Amino acid sequence: MTTKQQPRTASDQAMWDSVLGLHTFVERQLAHTLQRRFGVGLSEYRALEVLTRAEKGEHRMQELADRIGLGQSSVTRLVGRLESAGYAYKDTCDDDKRGVYAVITDAGRKHYQDARSTYADVLGSALDAASADDQLARAVRALRGA
């Protein structure tokens, strides 16, 4: 027996629209600043963050793709850009020669560390600015637990 779900309320839709608007607003601020100050896009920054936090500084390409919300072909190109910049490299899995890992370099760790405080500052400033916007303020309050 299948149960028919009730349609979402207008309130749910309004909140989701607010979350999406907030996401777009914040992502633009972060992407612009990271590119201008550090020469990396937001996805590259997030990949460096994930690799920095990884136990051995590496992830299988598919796992990295899943963690940063990209498809495998997109993450392959992304790691290629990081490799060209000297921030990461690709390595094969010892157990499964078909498996490919993205591995962060010391330069990649340093670049991430250099960008990290800027990312946090821009995130906080963008959320502060969004809280002054009537359409985005509700989502900011919900995220900040206010």
Side-chain angles (χ1 to χ4, degrees):
M1 174 160 88
T2 36
T3 306
K4 197 172 191 177
Q5 287 188 336
Q6 295 293 329
R8 301 289 182 210
T9 66
S11 175
D12 286 346
Q13 184 64 50
M15 177 51 107
W16 186 244
D17 289 345
S18 179
V19 167
L20 292 176
L22 177 61
H23 178 267
T24 299
F25 177 79
V26 171
E27 294 275 288
R28 282 184 185 148
Q29 301 281 330
L30 290 168
H32 175 76
T33 302
L34 289 172
Q35 187 64 53
R36 188 174 37 105
R37 291 188 190 170
F38 298 98
V40 295
L42 196 48
S43 294
E44 286 87 0
Y45 173 85
R46 289 190 175 131
L48 291 173
E49 180 176 48
V50 167
L51 292 172
T52 295
R53 293 181 178 177
E55 186 177 323
K56 296 180 181 178
E58 64 184 28
H59 275 294
R60 279 185 177 261
M61 295 289 275
Q62 184 58 55
E63 190 175 279
L64 180 60
D66 291 344
R67 288 183 179 258
I68 60 175
L70 295 176
Q72 185 150 357
S73 62
S74 294
V75 90
T76 298
R77 290 189 302 273
L78 179 149
V79 172
R81 292 189 299 273
L82 292 175
E83 195 167 27
S84 294
Y87 301 144
Y89 62 91
K90 295 177 202 148
D91 196 12
T92 56
C93 176
D94 291 337
D95 301 337
D96 177 4
K97 295 299 180 195
R98 295 171 297 160
V100 178
Y101 282 86
V103 184
I104 194 163
T105 64
D106 289 341
R109 285 183 194 281
K110 181 175 180 344
H111 202 66
Y112 167 74
Q113 290 299 329
D114 290 345
R116 195 171 104 183
S117 63
T118 298
Y119 178 94
D121 291 345
V122 172
L123 175 60
S125 294
L127 290 172
D128 289 345
S131 69
D133 181 305
D134 290 340
Q135 293 181 327
L136 305 178
R138 183 174 167 206
V140 173
R141 283 193 306 276
L143 286 172
R144 288 183 162 170

